[in-house]
Amino acid sequence: MFKFTDFFHLPQLDPLFEQMIAEKDGLMLLAGIESRGGAGQPMPEGMNAQPVQKPKAPFLPSGLSTLSDVIVQAVFSADPLAQAIFIVSDRTAARIPRLFKRRIKLCVVSNAEEYDRQAAYAAVSRPTLLVFDRLTEDSRRAVFAAAESGLKTVVQLDTAQHGAGVARELLELGIGAEQISLLRWILTTRRVLTLCEKCRHPMLLRPYHLDHLRRRHPEVYACAEREYCAEINAHEVILHKDAQFYQVGTCRACQESGYSGDVSVFDVFHPILQQGGQFDLQEYLACGSALSLEEYLFRLVAQGKVPLENLLWMETDMLRQTYQNLSSSQSALSSANAALTSKLYELESAHRVLLQRTEVLISLEDLGQALIASVSLTELAHRICRRAGELCGAERVILYVARSGGQSSEQMEVLATRGWEGADIEAWVDQRAVLGSGNEKKTSLFLTLPPGVQPRAEIPTGEGPKAAIQNGLRVPLLAQDRQVGAMIVQSTKRSAFKPSDTALLQTFANQAALAIQRAGLVDDLLAKITQLEAAQEELVLKERMERELELARQVQQSLLPSNFPVLSGYTLVAHNEPARQVGGDFYDFIHLDDDHLGLVVADVSDKGMPAALYMALARSLLFAEAHRQPSPRAALETVNNLLSDLGELNGFVSVFYGIVERSTRAFTYVRAGHECPWLLRADGSRQQLKGSGAVLGILETDQLNLSEERIQLQPGDRLMLYSDGMSDVVNEQGNFFGGKLLEELFASLMILSAQEACAQAFQALARYRGSAEQFDDMTLMIFAVD
């Protein structure tokens, strides 16, 4: 197993690596790009006026697996008693040396649930190190859960980003800020080709090189100016005596490429945030790397390992390599898909042959039963065409039936066809063209195109419907000695039908005629029954919906308070506008005692009567528990337990519940998945009341993560509690009102009384919406401190 000292690296990396290994907990992310195959492309041109011919540089994988092995080796060397758990999706991805085999437990998983289960096991067993193979959609929940439990966790991520850019990419993938705070180290590695020492030749460092560095990489420019440049003037840069820069040459030793071997380039991101207070994501993302990729690469340039152009065009090289890698992956995927498609076609072809032979063997046995059992006319017609072709070996069959619905009584409907794909077929044809002028009731030859069939002009002669007809029969359909239709069977391969085939077809046609007659009557009857049932169901549904909406409206209106208490030193006002007859929003105030008042704004999922009932249930439970529990969080946790016990209701509710202590103006609140209210101060400042917590009625109580917050109200303060319908108002152009405009609207209403501010807020939203439909319920409660 490799050690870190086995690799060439700059000495600036050693103290950071030792510090990283010494960490006892937190998440360590190894970032880089792994190869997916494919050849390299030409490198971009440098800064010179004349283009420089560059050799083709192959894509070099970052070697994340090797780096992970190095970290495991370092942890085990630092602690002889260290234990580790590897959680991987592929057993071959974990390279466990024999020396440490007894100290490492290997867990192979295949889905997200198994990742979670093994991570929970690791949280209990408390190993020194927990290693995941990759950060993927399946593993990410388990990775961050392990890091949150206090385990030192290592995971690899395939990405083209480095430093804080990796954290930003994780945010775009849906990783939350709380999970990002667990990310202590991001160690990014890339591999670049090293110059051939036999043919490399010195280059002059020009001012425009430094100017490029100053504009694109200011920290690298500072390093160059401090450590390598003795003097800079308008025409040249004078270097210190121990500094030397090189560019690509050519020789036989490197096969005219100018490169020999490769070296790893590192970026170490270890954000150092201010102590105390909540985690600040913006501060985290603003942190620079402890050792940046650009500075590391420049130091390699200064040692003559790589050309300066590798740094000057680093971003372009990465874009090219990423595109090359993805293109190769797409090409391999397309090839595999083509091979699978070819195999699928072969299997389908063999399957069709087997089905055809099986159908021929059983056709005579189940023929009578199939015709009697069929009640759908369309299904029966297609079955008749298929069976007729199988009985006589004909590739083409067309079935005509005399039915009502044509333009005249002298027309027949083309009920079904077989083998005429690629031809234009009329739905109705003239009866005399089908039955002949004599209205014959016997089987006869028919060697021309059937009536109503017209092959398309773009199909070449001799192919598909234009293939020459070798033989054909017109078979009448007789029911009770009355001709109800005809069937024309034709073949482009058989020159004649056997007499037994003709007799079998006529017998089959007579049975088919009776079945068609019966199925037609059944079809007409079923169609009329379906129409009556649909009309009746629509009427019943309409009446039920109207009755349900009226009941729901009565229930909801009875629950929402219409009179507000008169409080010394405080003003309370609220208003609700449902999007339909009933809504899922509700508000309430709870008089707990002479000194405590509870404020509630909630939003129930779903609409209609179920939402109204769920709203009544949630309000009743909250009202009861509020009097029993002095803590808002304890009250909501109990309500969640009760709602979960009634899980068959299939609903949930978001709640903001707070308690005002009137004597001290202290406000204690809990936010269970609801919109964050705004606290507007008399001095013009604004504060959004945040707090963690999920909606009630779905998760177990220990998964709610409810946080109980406490703030101190001041004279002139105004609490604006609202539902998401206020910010989700959409105007006629489809634009959302949004949280930012809502904040500004609330702030502009501070000069008005609470009653006027509530009315003006809804009027402003109505003006913004215009003639557009209101899609969601809107609720606003204003609690003002006089």
Side-chain angles (χ1 to χ4, degrees), residues 402 441 477-485 513 517:
K441 296 184 178 180
L477 301 179
L478 302 176
Q480 299 175 349
D481 203 33
R482 185 173 68 87
Q483 189 163 358
V484 298
Q517 193 176 52

Side-chain angles (χ1 to χ4, degrees), residues 7 9 54 80 82 155 185 193 209 236 241 273 302 315 324 370 416 420 424 486-487 517 585 588 614 635 742 764 781:
F7 298 91
H9 63 277
K54 296 294 179 185
V155 66
W185 294 85
L193 295 176
H209 290 138
E236 63 179 344
K241 61 180 180 179
L273 306 179
E315 294 87 352
Q324 166 194 329
W420 286 106
D424 293 325
M487 180 171 54
Q517 193 176 52
D585 289 0
D588 203 355
Y614 200 96
L742 186 63
M781 175 184 287

Side-chain angles (χ1 to χ4, degrees), residues 54 189 250 314 316 403 488 568 659 698 723 744 750:
K54 296 294 179 185
T189 178
T250 57
M314 184 179 68
T316 306
R403 295 186 67 196
I488 296 177
S568 176
I659 297 177
I698 298 179
S723 64
E744 298 297 333
M750 279 292 288

